[in-house]
Amino acid sequence: MGNYSILQEREFMRLHDIEQLLTQTYWAKNYTLETIEKSLHHSLSFGVLDETADKQIAFARVITDYATRFYIVDVIVDATYRSKGIGNMLIDAIVHHKDLAPLRGLLITKDAQELYRKFGFEEYGITCMQKTSL
């Protein structure tokens, strides 16, 4: 693997890199910088930094009550870095985070079940429901 490090503090997140990452998604490609910044202030943020390129190449947020559950959202690895274990690094950092490890984790994925199974996530057989904004 390359020279990568995990970012776990909001102040180390690189807003413009995150914006570029999220444009690669179907669910967050239209987030504004203001929306991204606000979301960072209301959740735990995780990232992966390519130290050689001095660029944040992966991102995920976690929403939690710190008592019972956490919910993983906005997981993205830059397309040029996929299949290099970066997603594994990111999810490993999340599930082993001291505040999250004892809690029940939840997430929604359309196509990354195999990644999450490696970390103990299982299909739960529930219906996902969504309320869109007014």
Side-chain angles (χ1 to χ4, degrees):
M1 230 153 67
N3 195 17
Y4 307 122
S5 60
I6 297 290
L7 306 172
Q8 292 188 25
E9 302 295 332
R10 182 174 48 234
E11 61 266 16
F12 297 120
M13 295 296 128
R14 298 176 177 209
L15 193 57
H16 291 285
D17 288 347
I18 294 168
E19 178 187 36
Q20 290 302 310
L21 287 166
L22 291 174
T23 63
Q24 298 176 35
T25 70
Y26 61 87
W27 68 88
K29 63 183 173 188
N30 295 319
Y31 283 6
T32 65
L33 275 174
E34 179 183 5
T35 297
I36 295 166
E37 189 169 28
K38 188 174 183 179
S39 74
L40 293 176
H41 285 286
H42 295 284
S43 52
L44 284 174
S45 299
F46 293 81
V48 178
L49 179 70
D50 178 342
E51 294 178 11
T52 305
D54 193 32
K55 176 183 175 184
Q56 186 171 339
I57 58 164
F59 175 69
R61 290 187 309 114
V62 177
I63 302 164
T64 183
D65 63 7
Y66 295 98
T68 62
R69 290 176 180 76
F70 65 89
Y71 177 47
I72 301 174
V73 297
D74 291 340
V75 178
I76 181 67
V77 175
D78 186 279
T80 60
Y81 289 86
R82 292 182 189 154
S83 300
K84 297 182 183 201
I86 304 298
N88 287 314
M89 287 177 61
L90 189 60
I91 301 306
D92 186 69
I94 292 170
V95 300
H96 290 102
H97 186 277
K98 64 180 177 59
D99 293 329
L100 304 176
L103 308 181
R104 175 178 288 179
L106 305 169
L107 60 90
I108 296 173
T109 185
K110 181 166 87 170
D111 54 8
Q113 290 85 352
E114 289 304 313
L115 168 65
Y116 297 111
R117 278 190 198 108
K118 295 177 194 175
F119 297 95
F121 288 88
E122 303 171 347
E123 282 87 357
Y124 194 58
I126 61 171
T127 300
C128 174
M129 297 177 71
Q130 172 178 285
K131 180 197 173 295
T132 57
S133 59
L134 298 175

